[in-house]
Each structure stands twice: as structure tokens, then as C-alpha cells.
């Protein structure tokens, strides 16, 4: 197997274009490629070649001379079922006048070791089923309108702080195992039919006045 010399002869200062097979990637980032002529080429991947080459891939080498040869393209993958776009620094996808779309007939995965940030004038999400697992979440917004067929909340502590709260329901049931307290400046309870208060012990006290008014009053 022939190895390309590190210092080319003056006669070898001619443009190079070689089709070969990637042998391996070195720790320093250089790539070892076996050309069709059997020679071994040491080169680096061109910045325009975003597809990460894998050992066994058919690649194209090009350069102005043997000292400046780069892997500029992956011609054929040994395993086309998995492709990876790989760059050394940050990667930005931009469309100056159009839409950026990412389509997948199966799964689409987004992973980040740091922060995942999304900014948009409008956000639309549509899914047949969704699952959200967040350890700590804070939401700040102007309004929330939700329409659901069934809502279930299970937690250890449930706190609501609001300037005004309105609840409307056709039927309501509340079960409290221990203590249920209501503290208000004014408390008014109205029922069109019957109001029932029952307990083993019932205390009713008034600081200034207690008034009971009805057509009939039965005690005892």
C-alpha cells in the first residue's frame, strides 16, 4: 500500500481529485482515505461537507495540490439508514424568505444538554396524545382558555390566589377528611330548595345578632 509523502515534489503540485474509501478518523481530526489507486491519503473534512463520514463510506477528495487535499463530499454511505450532520462549532439554519421545515415519517427527537429555548410570535401545537414531565415549572401569561372533556389534578398541595374567582357547575361534590375552613368578610349561602347542616356537634354564635326568620320554626 502506497502512502502519499508529507512533502510533495514540485512536479506533484497539480490539482487533486480522488475517489476513495474512508478507512478511519484520527484523534487529531485527520481522516485516512484509501484511494481507488490504492494510495492512502491523509486529509481533513472540508467545512462545506456537513455530513459526517463514517468508515467504509465512499468519499471524494479534492484540492489544489497534494499538500492541500480535503474530503469535500460523501458520495455513498456504507450504512444509509443513519446520517449525521456534524460541525465543530455552533450550527444555525436560516431561511431569508421562506419556511424551515423538519419532516419525519416516524419519530422526531430534540435533545439539549443545556437550555432549550423557543421564541415565536405564534405557537401552534397539535398532537393525538401528549405527555409532559417537568420537575419544576413556572408559567407567566395574560390569559389561559382551556376546553377539555375531563380534567383531573392530583397533588399534595393545591393553592389558588386570585382577585376574583367564579365557579359554575351543574353538580358539585367536595369531600374533606379533616378540617374545612372558610374565612370571609361576608358569607352568603342561598338555595332554591333545601339547606341542610348536620353534625355531631353544631355551634352557631353571633357577636351582636343572630336572626332566624321562617314561616315555621321547629326546634327539638
Amino acid at each position: 500500500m502506497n502512502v502519499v509523502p508529507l512533502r510533495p515534489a514540485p512536479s506533484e503540485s497539480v490539482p487533486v481529485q480522488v475517489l476513495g474509501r474512508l478507512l478511519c478518523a484520527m484523534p487529531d481530526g485527520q481522516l485516512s482515505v484509501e484511494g481507488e489507486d490504492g494510495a492512502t491519503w491523509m486529509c481533513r473534512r472540508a467545512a462545506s461537507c456537513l455530513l459526517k463520514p463514517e468508515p467504509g463510506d465512499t468519499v471524494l477528495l479534492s484540492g489544489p495540490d497534494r499538500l492541500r487535499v480535503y474530503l469535500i463530499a460523501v458520495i455513498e454511505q456504507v450504512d444509509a439508514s443513519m446520517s449525521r450532520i456534524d460541525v465543530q462549532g455552533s450550527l444555525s439554519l436560516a431561511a431569508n424568505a421562506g419556511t424551515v421545515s423538519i419532516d419525519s415519517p416516524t419519530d422526531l427527537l430534540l435533545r439539549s444538554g443545556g437550555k432549550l429555548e423557543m421564541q415565536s410570535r405564534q405557537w401552534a401545537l397539535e398532537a393525538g396524545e401528549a405527555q409532559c414531565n417537568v420537575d419544576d415549572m413556572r408559567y407567566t401569561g395574560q390569559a389561559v382558555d382551556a376546553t377539555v372533556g375531563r380534567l383531573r389534578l392530583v397533588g399534595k398541595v393545591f393553592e389558588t390566589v386570585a382577585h376574583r374567582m367564579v365557579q359554575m357547575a351543574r353538580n358539585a361534590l367536595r369531600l374533606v377528611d379533616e378540617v374545612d375552613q372558610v374565612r370571609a368578610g361576608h358569607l352568603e349561602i342561598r338555595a332554591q330548595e333545601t339547606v341542610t347542616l348536620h353534625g355531631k356537634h353544631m355551634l352557631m354564635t353571633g357577636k351582636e345578632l343572630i336572626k332566624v326568620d321562617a314561616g315555621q320554626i321547629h326546634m327539638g
Side-chain angles (χ1 to χ4, degrees):
M1 181 173 60
N2 299 325
V3 179
V4 176
L6 297 179
R7 289 290 183 268
S11 60
E12 294 177 338
S13 297
V14 294
V16 175
Q17 184 163 322
V18 177
L19 196 67
R21 181 175 62 91
L22 179 63
L23 298 178
C24 63
M26 300 301 180
D28 59 355
Q30 293 201 68
L31 304 174
S32 177
V33 178
E34 182 184 9
E36 290 184 326
D37 56 356
T40 300
W41 296 79
M42 300 301 297
C43 63
R44 293 187 178 274
R45 179 159 55 112
S48 60
C49 182
L50 301 181
L51 183 63
K52 182 180 180 181
E54 298 292 343
D57 290 351
T58 301
V59 296
L60 179 63
L61 307 184
S62 182
D65 53 54
R66 288 180 175 268
L67 272 183
R68 294 175 292 173
V69 177
Y70 297 91
L71 191 157
I72 63 172
V74 177
I75 305 302
E76 185 177 357
Q77 295 177 278
V78 67
D79 183 10
S81 62
M82 180 61 184
S83 300
R84 179 184 177 91
I85 295 179
D86 183 82
V87 297
Q88 294 296 326
S90 300
L91 177 64
S92 177
L93 300 178
N96 294 327
T99 302
V100 177
S101 300
I102 301 178
D103 299 323
S104 174
T106 56
D107 298 335
L108 179 61
L109 306 178
L110 296 176
R111 296 190 180 94
S112 174
K115 180 173 66 173
L116 178 61
E117 184 175 347
M118 302 176 65
Q119 295 181 357
S120 175
R121 185 180 61 84
Q122 185 177 3
W123 183 40
L125 174 64
E126 182 178 353
E129 183 179 352
Q131 181 177 354
C132 180
N133 298 323
V134 181
D135 292 336
D136 190 4
M137 180 176 179
R138 293 177 177 84
Y139 172 81
T140 302
Q142 297 295 327
V144 175
D145 295 328
T147 302
V148 296
R150 182 176 64 90
L151 177 62
R152 184 184 182 189
L153 299 176
V154 179
K156 293 182 179 180
V157 178
F158 181 61
E159 298 180 358
T160 300
V161 179
H163 180 71
R164 183 171 181 263
M165 184 169 63
V166 178
Q167 292 181 329
M168 292 181 290
R170 186 168 184 177
N171 295 285
L173 174 64
R174 186 173 65 180
L175 301 177
V176 180
D177 290 337
E178 297 182 3
V179 180
D180 188 6
Q181 295 183 358
V182 178
R183 299 181 182 182
H186 299 276
L187 178 63
E188 181 178 351
I189 299 176
R190 291 187 181 184
Q192 293 181 355
E193 297 296 335
T194 304
V195 175
T196 301
L197 298 176
H198 178 74
K200 185 176 181 180
H201 304 284
M202 180 176 293
L203 302 176
M204 181 180 296
T205 61
K207 186 176 181 180
E208 295 183 359
L209 175 66
I210 293 179
K211 181 179 180 181
V212 179
D213 186 10
Q216 294 184 7
I217 298 176
H218 299 271
M219 301 183 68

